[in-house]
Amino acid sequence: MTTAYRYPIGTHGQLWTEQERQAWRAQTKIQRPYQTVVEAIKALSEQFCVEQYGALSYDPERYPLLCVKTQPWQADKPTLLVTGGVHGYETSGVFGALQFLTEQAYRYAEQMNIVVVPCVSPWGYETIQRWNPNALDPNRCFYPNSPAEESAALMALVDKLPAILAHIDLHETTDSDENEFRPALAARDGVDYQPGHIPDGFYTVGDSENPQLDFQAAIIESVRQVTHIAPADQHGQIIGSPVIQEGVIVYPVKELGLCASVTNSQYCSTTEVYPDSPRVNSDDCNAAQVAAIVGALNYLYPKTTYTQTT
């Protein structure tokens, strides 16, 4: 089904040109400071190794790209990558990653190396946008010669890391996906906007080529301790994809250029928190992201168990 709604930028049925991209960028504005995130990351430097792996050309001083690594680095141990803020507007991805570092990462540092990139898209974080300033979705641009600086910089970082066993990419599905971001996408691409359904609750997205369903289930069970799991809709789907087990759908992550494909890891999962649910607050959303990471780690290393703190 299509809708009569027309996004206010562009001509219906026509791809955006640079003129429309500039018009879209002109109506964005800074809504929160990335510097707050930078300060939170740098405050971890006594416990972890904080490194700058790049900067965005839009404003290199304002937008340094930072990662956090456990130390000492152990060449004989496996590595976990955690990414947040690939979509800058998805707040719990950023603060869930930071909360994991401050509250839980030390418990696993002897068993494996952990690399956390709390905010892949600083401009998107500041403007509360899904896209970067060029109206590109970084989470569709993880492929060679990427046109998105945010994606290219993260891929360059991953290329310098040893083989990664597992990757958890922290995301949110929000009401703004339907009332702003998907209509903007349809307008940009010159197609009709087809309304979708936002699920109420947490779910994960696995790789259809390597779903690792027991791994996904471990994440779901861990998150269940802190928030509710999204049910399937009347069609047995979540955001248009079949639910293959409770709270789990799969995508061809490499084909779509998703961040979850960046490491070619044995285990990967994209988390999806629903912050607009009347049943949760921001603390719940951050805790769900932490629980997702810990659930993954406890699956990989079952001798270490996670007890939710209050």
Side-chain angles (χ1 to χ4, degrees), residues 170-297:
L170 309 179
H171 284 259
E172 294 181 345
T173 301
T174 70
D175 288 347
S176 58
D177 288 353
E178 283 298 320
N179 59 38
E180 168 59 28
F181 299 123
R182 293 189 66 248
L185 174 64
R188 187 198 68 180
D189 294 348
V191 299
D192 286 327
Y193 163 55
Q194 299 183 348
H197 170 72
I198 300 296
D200 185 349
F202 177 94
Y203 64 99
T204 68
V205 181
D207 180 2
S208 59
E209 299 300 314
N210 179 32
Q212 295 288 352
L213 295 182
D214 289 344
F215 178 66
Q216 308 296 339
I219 294 172
I220 293 294
E221 289 307 311
S222 181
V223 173
R224 199 191 305 277
Q225 298 179 52
V226 297
T227 194
H228 56 292
I229 306 305
D233 63 18
Q234 66 270 28
H235 305 295
Q237 299 178 336
I238 289 177
I239 60 168
S241 294
V243 174
I244 59 174
Q245 65 186 34
E246 185 186 12
V248 180
I249 62 174
V250 293
Y251 281 172
V253 299
K254 180 72 74 174
E255 178 183 329
L256 293 175
L258 303 186
C259 184
S261 71
V262 73
T263 65
N264 294 312
S265 59
Q266 182 177 353
Y267 300 95
C268 73
S269 185
T270 300
T271 69
E272 295 287 353
V273 168
Y274 178 47
D276 298 311
S277 172
R279 300 169 61 182
V280 302
N281 57 34
S282 60
D283 290 341
D284 298 326
C285 294
N286 295 342
Q289 301 286 22
V290 175
I293 303 167
V294 170
L297 284 164

Side-chain angles (χ1 to χ4, degrees), residues 30-111:
I30 302 298
Q31 300 191 57
R32 56 188 178 182
Y34 174 59
Q35 184 61 29
T36 302
V37 177
V38 171
E39 291 172 358
I41 294 172
K42 290 184 175 180
L44 298 168
S45 59
E46 289 188 6
Q47 305 161 264
F48 303 98
C49 176
V50 175
E51 296 180 358
Q52 181 171 341
Y53 66 93
L56 299 182
S57 67
Y58 325 129
D59 190 334
E61 293 297 319
R62 187 183 186 99
Y63 300 127
L65 299 171
L66 302 174
C67 68
V68 182
K69 299 178 180 178
T70 50
Q71 58 181 354
W73 192 266
Q74 304 168 96
D76 61 331
K77 298 293 177 66
T79 298
L80 167 75
L81 174 67
V82 176
T83 47
V86 174
H87 290 141
Y89 73 104
E90 296 172 1
T91 305
S92 71
V94 176
F95 289 101
L98 290 169
Q99 186 170 323
F100 167 74
L101 285 166
T102 58
E103 294 183 358
Q104 295 293 333
Y106 75 93
R107 301 178 59 244
Y108 302 90
E110 290 186 4
Q111 298 170 334

